[in-house]
Structure formats: structure tokens, C-alpha cells
Amino acid sequence: QCTILLDGWFHIDYSSRGIEYDFPPESFGAAWPRKEKKTVPVDNSSSSSSKASGEDDGANTKVANGVGVGDCKGKGLDVPSLFINSGQFQGYQKLYGATKRLADQINDNGSDGARKDDTSATATQRHGRRAEMHVIPGTMHQNFCDIIFWIPRRWGKKMFELGDADAYEAYENILNWTVKFLE
């Protein structure tokens, strides 16, 4: 088992509305939520209205700002993982920070003797609990879609917000890193 995560969105940030959390909670396990949230009691006498609103977290509490906090016990994502990110997403500090936290969590969960600082290729083979991260400079989120193969190159940047990087080279990097990771 392993995961390959292409330009993942691991942090929801509507801080202007008081909503901000790492996402999805199951991936972050017991480390979720990252910040203490104020909770208020939920009246379960009419459970259908509570469940319909999506605010019931199963523990008779809800987060005051409306984001439910589930019971995320366990290690979270705990398989060898390859993260390939766009330069655009690297520029979003909170999003990229959540991605790095998730990768660190995977490395920390390697309870089979893996050292967190051992980043050699053989560490993956020996321990199988390593997260690998790559960023493709000059790319945008749309560079990770197949759109680059079915439109003329000159349209890509203007119409679909493709980055300055050569789109074909970016895909070649994605494929090469994926093959190396799966070997």
C-alpha cells in the first residue's frame, strides 16, 4: 500500500469567516484539529435537525464556528507516500505547512526503526514508512490535469492558468518521480 498525492489540498482556510483546519481530518489522525476550538454543547433531543445540519460530531459537541470536529483517533495517513506539489500551492503558507505536517507525520509514524532524518532511497526500501515531497517550480494547479495534452500550448497559459514551467516537462517529472517511488 502507498499513496501518490498530486498537488493536494490539505488545509481549508476561510479565516475571514473564522473557519480554518487541516483536511481531511482522517489523514491527520489524532493530530487533528491543529488548533484548539471552542466547543459548545449540542442538544440531542432533536437529533435529526443536528445531523441534517452536519454539525453533530458524535460527541455531543460542535465547534462554535460551525466546523464539526470528529473523533479522529489513530495515526492518520500511515503508508509510504509521494507528494508532488505545484509551485502555486507551495506559495500558500498554511496549505504547504499542512502538507509538510502530513509528510512529517508519516515519517514519525515509522515505528519500524526508520529514522526521521534518513532520507536515502534505501531508507524507503528498509523501512517502508517514508514520505517523499517534490515541488515543480513555475507550475499552477491546472498543470496537474490532462488539459495540457488536448489544447495548443499557446492557449494553456492564457485560458487555463498554467504556470511558466514547460507543461510537458512537468508531466515528465511527475511520471519519473512516480516510477521511482513505486519501484
Side-chain angles (χ1 to χ4, degrees):
Q1 287 186 342
C2 67
T3 59
I4 299 172
L5 303 155
L6 299 177
D7 217 24
W9 201 283
F10 300 111
H11 188 78
I12 304 298
D13 184 4
Y14 290 109
S15 51
S16 63
R17 302 263 192 230
I19 300 170
E20 185 178 337
Y21 55 94
D22 290 344
F23 176 82
E26 297 82 4
S27 294
F28 288 89
W32 194 86
R34 297 303 299 178
K35 298 177 182 170
E36 286 295 317
K37 301 279 186 182
K38 180 181 176 187
T39 59
V40 294
V42 172
D43 179 8
N44 284 335
S45 60
S46 108
S47 61
S48 61
S49 65
S50 176
K51 288 182 182 178
S53 70
E55 296 180 51
D56 185 7
D57 71 355
N60 298 327
T61 61
K62 69 177 181 176
V63 174
N65 65 5
V67 178
V69 178
D71 184 15
C72 294
K73 295 180 180 173
K75 293 181 178 182
L77 187 60
D78 190 25
V79 294
S81 300
L82 173 64
F83 295 82
I84 303 175
N85 302 295
S86 67
Q88 176 188 18
F89 278 16
Q90 183 184 28
Y92 299 140
Q93 183 180 11
K94 293 177 182 179
L95 174 60
Y96 193 61
T99 304
K100 289 193 303 188
R101 281 192 300 278
L102 189 53
D104 287 345
Q105 168 188 294
I106 293 164
N107 288 332
D108 289 343
N109 283 345
S111 59
D112 54 0
R115 289 190 345 255
K116 185 177 176 182
D117 61 344
D118 188 353
T119 58
S120 66
T122 55
T124 303
Q125 296 165 354
R126 284 194 315 264
H127 306 295
R129 294 282 188 211
R130 195 170 136 262
E132 211 177 285
M133 286 186 66
H134 300 279
V135 174
I136 304 174
T139 55
M140 304 287 278
H141 188 61
Q142 292 300 323
N143 282 98
F144 289 78
C145 301
D146 63 351
I147 196 165
I148 66 160
F149 297 113
W150 52 271
I151 61 167
R153 286 184 186 200
R154 65 184 182 275
W155 293 2
K157 192 171 178 182
K158 291 179 183 177
M159 294 176 62
F160 298 100
E161 296 188 23
L162 297 177
D164 293 328
D166 180 274
Y168 290 96
E169 242 180 71
Y171 251 83
E172 186 177 344
N173 287 334
I174 292 169
L175 292 174
N176 287 335
W177 286 324
T178 301
V179 168
K180 274 184 176 178
F181 178 74
L182 292 173
E183 285 179 337

